[in-house]
């Protein structure tokens, strides 16, 4: 049995989403670990330091559990929402962690759909994706319209998730730059031989003999708050591997801004574009502010207190919807037609919003996307089953529902080792209000994170997943 400090375990990529970790009498266990870990303890007269101070570490874990979950429930800006799309929403019911126990040697820690990194002084806690960083990069890039991961750069040795913020900023910037650099009107005052814009009558009266006019006019300029804040991010990220392929954009920005330096307070006040043509730059502005404000402690460990989270279940759902849309499957918007059911309080009705409603040949197919791990012993959870039955019951009042079910990600190794799979799905029948419909569990297989052909295999698995929907569910 190997030995480790709990101080290191909680920040070295050991902890991943949707897991339960238990420590009994100093033995740390989880079904994903190859073997239990014996937790090291301070012995005898050893000097107390952050790694062996159990009381301080236990306090950090409990404070993190309480404060972060309170912040998420209160919908504060502690969590970074990656896609401000009408089909993409933040689920604030999710917790970052849930911890219960008596001390560092006897406790249970549960993780959910939130992944991220929090640092407070000497202590840090990181929850990673159970499918690895390549999976994150793939679904972020593909979901936002860019799929160029062959030479994405970046180091996996990073302690936290600064790479994710930079990577997302890069993807958003490249998408926005397809429109060219943003330009805006600026006001100028200059003296000309001919009238341009408005002239200063008093100035003309005094200096008219010179034959020049004091003119006030407006013209388009690439030197504006947006280009300046992006140029400042390039300066901050100088030498970072993730931006080595952005030299053309960087040079264009430096030329546009004449290499001028701006005050940080002015950059932080950069406002969004109201012109819809430049909407894609608004996400770049938001992410640029986060980077400049050192929202992640990994930027040279500048900040003693920092946090960065996002709900990977939302991102996975967005990715699945995007794949179905790209392949011509007609989807209802999540926010166009909402069914409501009574709650017992006449002034409040609960909205029903399935993740996916597909329409094909005048029939409908209602599915929910679940990022959580599928339970091969008991199947879909009780609450999730009740939820899908409610969806089908209400939608079935006005639509011809032909099938329903769930979409889950699954590790390719787990899928291959499970003998009950004949294809990428499990199928049964269910009766609702006397009508029999098909009930599916459909899986998207995720390759091993360290596989050299991860991108190629992931794309093949995604294609197989979509084909399963088209030729089995929508048949």
């Amino acid at each position: 049995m190997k030995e480790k400090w709990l101080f290191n375990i909680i920040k070295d990529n050991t902890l991943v989403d949707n897991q339960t970790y238990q420590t009994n009498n100093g033995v740390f266990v989880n079904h994903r670990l190859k073997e239990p870990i014996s937790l090291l303890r301070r012995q005898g007269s050893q000097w107390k330091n952050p790694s062996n101070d159990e009381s301080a570490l236990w306090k950090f874990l409990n404070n993190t559990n309480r404060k972060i979950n309170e912040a998420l429930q209160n919908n504060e800006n502690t969590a970074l929402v990656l896609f401000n799309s009408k089909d993409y929403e933040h689920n604030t019911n999710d917790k970052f962690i849930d911890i219960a126990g008596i001390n560092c040697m006897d406790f249970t820690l549960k993780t959910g759909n939130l992944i991220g990194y929090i640092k407070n002084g000497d202590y840090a806690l990181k929850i990673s994706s159970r499918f690895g960083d390549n999976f994150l990069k793939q679904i972020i890039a593909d979901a936002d319209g860019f799929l160029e991961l062959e030479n994405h750069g970046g180091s996996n040795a990073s302690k936290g998730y600064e790479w994710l913020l930079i990577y997302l900023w890069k993807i958003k910037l490249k998408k926005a730059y397809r429109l060219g650099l943003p330009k805006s009107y600026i006001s100028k005052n200059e003296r000309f031989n001919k009238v341009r814009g408005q002239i200063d009558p008093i100035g003309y009266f005094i200096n008219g003999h010179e034959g020049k006019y004091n003119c006030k006019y407006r013209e388009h300029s690439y030197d504006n708050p947006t280009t300046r804040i992006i140029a400042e991010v390039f300066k901050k990220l100088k030498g970072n591997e993730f931006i080595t392929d952005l030299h053309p954009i960087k040079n264009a920005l430096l030329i546009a801004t004449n290499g001028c330096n701006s005050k940080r307070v002015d950059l932080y006040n950069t406002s969004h574009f109201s012109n819809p043509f430049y909407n894609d730059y608004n996400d770049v502005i938001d992410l640029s502010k986060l980077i400049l404000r050192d929202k992640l402690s990994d930027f040279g460990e500048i900040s003693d207190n920092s946090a960065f989270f996002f709900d990977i279940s939302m991102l996975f759902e967005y990715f699945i919807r995007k794949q179905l849309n790209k392949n011509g499957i007609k989807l209802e918007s999540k926010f166009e037609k909402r069914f409501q059911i009574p709650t017992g309080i006449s002034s409040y009705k609960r909205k029903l919003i399935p993740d996916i409603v597909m329409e094909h040949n005048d029939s409908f197919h209602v599915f929910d996307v679940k990022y959580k791990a599928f339970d091969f012993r008991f199947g879909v959870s009780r609450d999730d089953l009740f939820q899908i039955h409610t969806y089908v019951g209400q939608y079935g009042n006005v639509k011809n529902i032909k099938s329903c079910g769930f979409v889950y990600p699954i590790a390719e190794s787990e899928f291959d080792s499970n003998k009950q799979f004949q294809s990428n799905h499990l199928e049964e029948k269910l009766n609702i209000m006397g009508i029999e419909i098909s009930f599916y569990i459909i899986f998207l297989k995720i390759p091993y994170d360290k596989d050299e052909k991860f991108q190629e295999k992931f794309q093949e698995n995604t294609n197989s997943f979509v084909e399963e929907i088209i030729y089995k569910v929508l048949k």
Side-chain angles (χ1 to χ4, degrees), residues 299-314:
F299 292 113
E301 295 292 320
I302 293 173
S303 174
D304 283 335
N305 298 279
S306 61
F308 177 66
F309 317 105
F310 72 91
D311 189 337
I312 193 171
S313 65
M314 294 191 303

Side-chain angles (χ1 to χ4, degrees), residues 316 320 356 367-371 405-409 442 465 469:
F316 183 66
I320 294 297
I356 294 174
F367 280 76
D368 250 15
V369 179
K370 298 298 180 184
Y371 179 74
F406 297 90
V407 172
Y408 287 86
I442 304 179
F465 164 80
I469 295 285

Side-chain angles (χ1 to χ4, degrees), residues 220-460:
H220 276 117
S221 173
Y222 292 112
D223 185 8
N224 54 64
T226 299
T227 54
R228 289 194 173 197
I229 194 173
I230 298 172
E232 195 65 25
V233 172
F234 271 109
K235 294 176 186 177
K236 184 175 183 63
L237 299 180
K238 183 179 180 180
N240 189 286
E241 296 178 42
F242 272 100
I243 64 171
T244 55
D245 61 336
L246 297 181
H247 287 303
I249 301 178
K250 177 183 177 181
N251 291 336
L253 286 161
L254 292 177
I255 293 172
T257 59
N258 297 312
C260 295
N261 293 318
S262 301
K263 294 181 180 179
R264 284 295 173 89
V265 64
D266 293 332
L267 296 175
Y268 296 152
N269 288 328
T270 302
S271 57
H272 283 178
F273 282 99
S274 57
N275 183 348
F277 184 77
Y278 290 123
N279 269 349
D280 286 342
Y281 274 101
N282 291 336
D283 284 340
V284 182
I285 292 170
D286 292 339
L287 292 167
S288 297
K289 291 177 182 179
L290 288 174
I291 293 174
L292 292 179
R293 284 175 168 151
D294 296 310
K295 282 297 182 181
L296 298 181
S297 64
D298 303 282
F299 292 113
E301 295 292 320
I302 293 173
S303 174
D304 283 335
N305 298 279
S306 61
F308 177 66
F309 317 105
F310 72 91
D311 189 337
I312 193 171
S313 65
M314 294 191 303
L315 183 57
F316 183 66
E317 177 198 328
Y318 186 87
F319 172 80
I320 294 297
R321 288 183 63 87
K322 192 69 176 269
Q323 302 312 305
L324 299 179
N325 268 320
K326 286 195 303 186
N327 284 275
I329 298 174
K330 185 178 180 180
L331 301 181
E332 280 196 356
S333 168
K334 291 183 66 176
F335 300 95
E336 284 182 5
K337 301 175 183 177
R338 289 183 172 183
F339 288 88
Q340 296 181 332
I341 55 176
T343 62
I345 300 175
S346 58
S347 60
Y348 178 75
K349 295 185 183 298
R350 192 167 296 280
K351 299 179 180 66
L352 299 180
I353 312 175
D355 293 335
I356 294 174
V357 178
M358 297 177 283
E359 182 180 353
H360 182 70
N361 291 339
D362 297 324
S363 61
F364 292 82
H365 309 261
V366 181
F367 280 76
D368 250 15
V369 179
K370 298 298 180 184
Y371 179 74
K372 65 181 73 172
F374 183 73
D375 187 335
F376 284 98
R377 183 180 179 188
F378 297 109
V380 180
S381 73
R382 179 186 179 93
D383 289 343
D384 290 342
L385 281 174
F386 288 172
Q387 186 180 48
I388 200 72
H389 273 254
T390 303
Y391 290 157
V392 172
Q394 290 299 310
Y395 275 72
N397 289 329
V398 294
K399 298 178 183 292
N400 174 28
I401 305 298
K402 191 172 182 181
S403 73
C404 66
F406 297 90
V407 172
Y408 287 86
I410 186 172
E412 197 169 52
S413 57
E414 182 180 5
F415 182 92
D416 292 341
S417 64
N418 200 305
K419 296 182 180 180
Q420 57 184 302
F421 289 120
Q422 301 298 322
S423 59
N424 289 2
H425 73 275
L426 302 173
E427 180 181 0
E428 293 184 278
K429 299 290 183 180
L430 60 83
N431 268 286
I432 295 183
M433 300 176 67
I435 301 173
E436 184 180 77
I437 66 174
S438 296
F439 174 73
Y440 296 99
I441 306 296
I442 304 179
F443 297 96
L444 173 62
K445 296 185 290 184
I446 313 300
Y448 175 55
D449 184 57
K450 304 302 181 184
D451 194 317
E452 294 181 355
K453 296 184 178 180
F454 180 92
Q455 182 182 354
E456 179 183 335
K457 290 183 177 180
F458 186 83
Q459 189 59 54
E460 290 176 357

